Amino acid sequence: MSGNRSRLPVAIVAGPHADARRAAVEEILRTVPGSVALHHDLTSAVDGAVHRTVRDARGPLSGGDAPLVNDCACCALREDLVPELLRLADQGEHRLAVVELWDSVEPQAMAAVVAGVGAPLVLTGVATAVDPALVLPYLSNGDDLIEVGLAAAPTDQRTVGDTFARQLEYPTVIAVVEGGSCGDDVECADETDRALLDQLTPGARKVPVTSGELGAALLAGFDADAGAARVHPACALLPQECDEHGVSTLVWRGERPFHPGRLYAALEDLTCAAVRSRGRFWLADRPDVLLSWDAAGGALCVESAGPWLAALPDAAWEMVPAERRLAVSMDWHPEHGDRCQYLTFTSPGLDRDGLSAVLDSCLLTDEEYAAGRDRWTQLSHAFDELLDPVTP
């Protein structure tokens, strides 16, 4: 049977705003003849299974349950998704398969699954459906997913805010649904809401669901490798400097390393200064380690993203993705190489001057910098509780 499979374009639609997501999927089914949608509902995972539905514009076509894999609903989704897509390809009747992800499922992981299969599946688009009026409340939500019934596994430690941020920043298309949340509790989107969405998603095309263009946008093609590079800490496409409709983005750069003790003492103020901040940075006591900064909803995640390219032997550069090599070649420092401070902060009412002053104060002073690298590595290892201890 596999030799007779027809090429099947696949598009992914993600997002925690269920009404917006469903509206986007329904619009695709209505405007793309021969399209079909798959959805795995993870709310039933507490009963040991994930429920799957397949539908087209006329209604349900089939359904079923996928058992949990290692007590993980997302794992069950991955195990069940590919066979279902291949079954649809075998039928040879569909122009597009739309994978509608559940509320907290992030599109990057599912895009990698689909792209990794290869023929006959062809990943042609990834979108997150968004109601602009809900961007700020969702980004500001520091609740753990497990507390609000949206965890994909018992060990899921993500929060609502950081999950939504990644759902926004990975796709090349933002499906905008406005008006569905207007009511007594939530106001309609205003210019501030739209400015926040625009500043957070600089590389994504905004497509109103009512425009009739969403289906075509999701058939245009999608490069999963480029998508991964777009959000990788080493070469991420970060927001640009902006100040519009009460929303600001501060792009802060520095050449010197941070003093680990002073930066650690300022973490709470820096994390709460903006609804979303991210980027890459380096610490004086870990001069060869590229560190990622990822904050939303008042919660900060600091992780090692591997070595800076300047810390690698020349022979290892060939193993580094071309996107990263190109990115560092544009901004190479004669002494530090690609080591840099590159952080962005986006928020309504951002205190740009105050934030810059705090960040500047965390850099090494002239005297500390002049002491040299051997002395830097002897500074207090204040980030040990967030990162692995420094190797002596």
Side-chain angles (χ1 to χ4, degrees):
M1 177 70 78
S2 62
N4 299 322
R5 283 172 175 159
S6 300
R7 174 183 181 276
L8 179 63
V10 178
I12 294 173
V13 177
H17 310 159
D19 291 341
R21 194 182 64 237
R22 293 188 192 108
V25 172
E26 293 302 328
E27 180 67 10
I28 298 168
L29 295 179
R30 185 184 69 82
T31 57
V32 180
S35 58
V36 62
L38 293 80
H39 178 60
H40 289 79
D41 187 346
L42 275 59
T43 56
S44 59
V46 293
D47 298 321
V50 171
H51 185 65
R52 175 206 335 115
T53 56
V54 180
R55 70 187 191 280
D56 62 13
R58 293 167 295 183
L61 297 175
S62 66
D65 292 321
L68 294 191
V69 177
N70 297 324
D71 211 22
C72 170
C74 263
C75 302
L77 189 164
R78 287 192 290 268
E79 291 289 325
D80 191 65
L81 176 62
V82 169
E84 279 298 304
L85 289 173
L86 293 177
R87 181 181 66 81
L88 293 171
D90 285 341
Q91 293 176 356
E93 302 172 356
H94 307 290
R95 182 183 173 192
L96 175 67
V98 182
V99 178
E100 179 192 348
L101 300 181
W102 190 65
D103 302 42
S104 68
V105 179
E106 297 180 23
Q108 183 175 0
M110 293 304 110
V113 169
V114 174
V117 175
L121 307 182
V122 182
L123 182 63
T124 60
V126 178
T128 291
V130 175
D131 181 340
L134 297 179
V135 172
L136 181 57
Y138 270 70
L139 271 182
S140 303
N141 191 335
D143 291 342
D144 293 334
L145 292 180
I146 200 165
E147 294 176 353
V148 294
L150 295 177
T155 56
D156 196 337
Q157 297 182 352
R158 295 175 297 158
T159 68
V160 173
D162 64 44
T163 301
F164 180 48
R166 287 187 292 271
Q167 289 173 326
L168 277 179
E169 292 156 1
Y170 178 76
T172 53
V173 174
I174 299 295
V176 181
V177 181
E178 297 198 58
S181 300
C182 298
D184 295 336
D185 297 328
V186 180
E187 297 181 357
C188 292
D190 57 20
E191 291 303 317
T192 297
D193 298 319
R194 298 184 187 94
L196 179 59
L197 178 60
D198 286 343
Q199 290 181 37
L200 289 169
T201 57
R205 176 185 174 190
K206 315 303 186 299
V207 181
V209 168
T210 55
S211 68
E213 301 175 359
L214 183 57
L218 290 176
L219 282 164
F222 186 86
D223 186 331
D225 290 336
R230 192 167 53 249
V231 295
H232 190 280
C235 50
L237 177 62
L238 298 175
Q240 300 174 344
E241 190 83 20
C242 189
D243 190 353
E244 191 173 57
H245 300 296
V247 179
S248 294
T249 293
L250 170 68
V251 178
W252 184 84
R253 291 175 176 267
E255 294 179 352
R256 294 184 181 185
F258 280 124
H259 185 289
R262 288 199 297 274
L263 180 63
Y264 187 83
L267 286 184
E268 183 174 355
D269 289 340
L270 294 172
T271 301
C272 296
V275 295
R276 177 62 171 152
S277 57
R278 58 187 179 122
R280 51 188 176 269
F281 68 103
W282 64 308
L283 294 172
D285 65 320
R286 301 167 183 262
D288 292 335
V289 181
L290 190 162
L291 297 169
S292 68
W293 177 290
D294 192 323
L300 170 66
C301 178
V302 171
E303 292 182 326
S304 167
W308 295 99
L309 289 192
L312 293 175
D314 292 345
W317 277 52
E318 292 301 319
M319 302 172 62
V320 176
E323 293 88 352
R324 182 175 177 186
R325 296 200 304 270
L326 177 61
V328 302
S329 68
M330 310 275 292
D331 198 21
W332 189 263
H333 188 276
E335 181 179 355
H336 305 311
D338 58 329
R339 298 179 182 92
C340 66
Q341 317 294 5
Y342 186 7
L343 301 175
T344 65
F345 297 79
T346 301
S347 187
L350 191 70
D351 180 5
R352 301 168 64 92
D353 292 341
L355 183 54
S356 295
V358 172
L359 289 164
D360 290 342
S361 72
C362 295
L363 295 173
L364 294 187
T365 64
D366 290 346
E367 182 180 356
E368 291 165 341
Y369 183 76
R373 178 172 169 142
D374 288 343
R375 291 289 299 274
W376 300 351
T377 57
Q378 297 174 23
L379 294 171
S380 64
H381 303 311
F383 278 74
D384 274 8
E385 66 178 73
L386 298 179
L387 303 162
D388 292 332
V390 173
T391 302

